[in-house]
Amino acid sequence: MNWYEKLSEYFPIEEMKSKEHMELLLKEKPHMYHKDEGLYHVLMYVETNDFLFIDYLYVSAKSRGKGIGHKLIENLKQHGKPIILEVEPVNYEDSDTEKRLRFYKREGFKHAVSIGYKRRSLATNEINQMEILYWSPTDETEESILEKMKKTYKEIHTYKDKELYGKSYQPVNEVLTIDSDKDDNILEFNKD
């Protein structure tokens, strides 16, 4: 099974970029878009001067619990930059969503409680809501995380979308929002 098949088997269709999209990013933005692939994992990530964004992290079911995910995250932390990612909200009918959140919490990620992310899938036309998680070696604000997410959305998620998919994704300000009133809310995820 190739790297794209592994990802598309694990991630829902509404979250997946096409293989052509990812290959184009790897070819046309090699300074920014990266693939780290091994026998039991696939990591697709973005690196800029001031942050990293995990686009996809897959660890095979038969190798989970062996520390592969932890090692991949630790390698990214060595860059000394904030790390951002999107995850599905917990779905109690899908135990993987809960396990994923527990994994990122153990790795020191925080839930960006004030940032909303809702995007219409070009594949299914359904609204896809995601949670934003981040780890930072400094005291990064959620406003700063939002700006980094907007850059990722514009430069990676919607890269040549009309050319690749025949239509465009929504504008960034419709997809990513901030509710400063939520800054004071402490969700269970961020509790010690």
Side-chain angles (χ1 to χ4, degrees):
M1 191 179 322
N2 72 36
W3 64 270
Y4 188 80
E5 290 168 333
K6 290 174 185 175
L7 292 176
S8 58
E9 202 172 85
Y10 184 67
F11 289 94
I13 188 170
E14 60 271 6
E15 289 180 34
M16 285 297 297
K17 292 174 180 60
S18 69
K19 185 175 185 186
E20 184 183 12
H21 187 166
M22 285 193 258
E23 287 176 338
L24 199 60
L25 287 166
L26 289 166
K27 180 182 174 194
E28 296 184 4
K29 294 190 176 230
H31 60 286
M32 193 176 192
Y33 199 73
H34 307 280
K35 175 175 61 166
D36 177 341
E37 180 183 10
L39 188 58
Y40 300 111
H41 78 276
V42 178
L43 170 62
M44 307 298 290
Y45 69 98
V46 175
E47 182 167 12
T48 71
N49 290 335
D50 59 344
F51 72 96
L52 290 125
F53 174 81
I54 297 174
D55 204 10
Y56 300 97
L57 173 56
Y58 160 84
V59 175
S60 73
K62 60 183 163 193
S63 66
R64 288 195 196 133
K66 295 185 180 358
I68 294 171
H70 172 74
K71 287 177 190 160
L72 292 168
I73 296 294
E74 282 303 308
N75 288 343
L76 293 178
K77 286 179 178 180
Q78 296 307 309
H79 295 239
K81 304 173 188 180
I83 303 169
I84 308 167
L85 58 100
E86 305 157 3
V87 320
E88 299 168 80
V90 171
N91 173 353
Y92 293 102
E93 294 173 16
D94 177 3
S95 64
D96 269 0
T97 61
E98 208 172 348
K99 288 176 188 171
R100 229 175 281 134
L101 283 172
R102 276 198 312 267
F103 166 75
Y104 286 115
K105 184 176 182 179
R106 276 194 317 270
E107 295 300 322
F109 282 76
K110 293 181 180 179
H111 182 190
V113 296
S114 65
I115 300 175
Y117 184 105
K118 290 182 185 175
R119 178 179 81 169
R120 183 170 300 282
S121 166
L122 294 180
T124 65
N125 206 33
E126 299 289 319
I127 296 291
N128 189 29
Q129 185 170 342
M130 301 292 278
E131 303 289 333
I132 306 300
L133 305 181
Y134 69 99
W135 172 88
S136 179
T138 60
D139 208 10
E140 198 81 17
T141 66
E142 291 196 10
E143 287 81 5
S144 172
I145 296 298
L146 176 67
E147 291 311 308
K148 291 168 174 57
M149 274 301 305
K150 285 182 176 183
K151 179 176 181 162
T152 301
Y153 184 78
K154 290 189 275 190
E155 293 190 30
I156 301 298
H157 292 350
T158 62
Y159 185 67
K160 295 190 176 182
D161 53 356
K162 192 154 178 83
E163 178 184 316
L164 292 162
Y165 303 104
K167 49 189 165 183
S168 298
Y169 282 105
Q170 301 146 268
V172 68
N173 290 331
E174 282 182 23
V175 173
L176 284 155
T177 57
I178 192 153
D179 181 352
S180 56
D181 292 340
K182 287 185 177 179
D183 279 341
D184 297 328
N185 288 346
I186 305 276
L187 293 183
E188 192 65 35
F189 185 84
N190 290 340
K191 288 185 181 173
D192 290 330

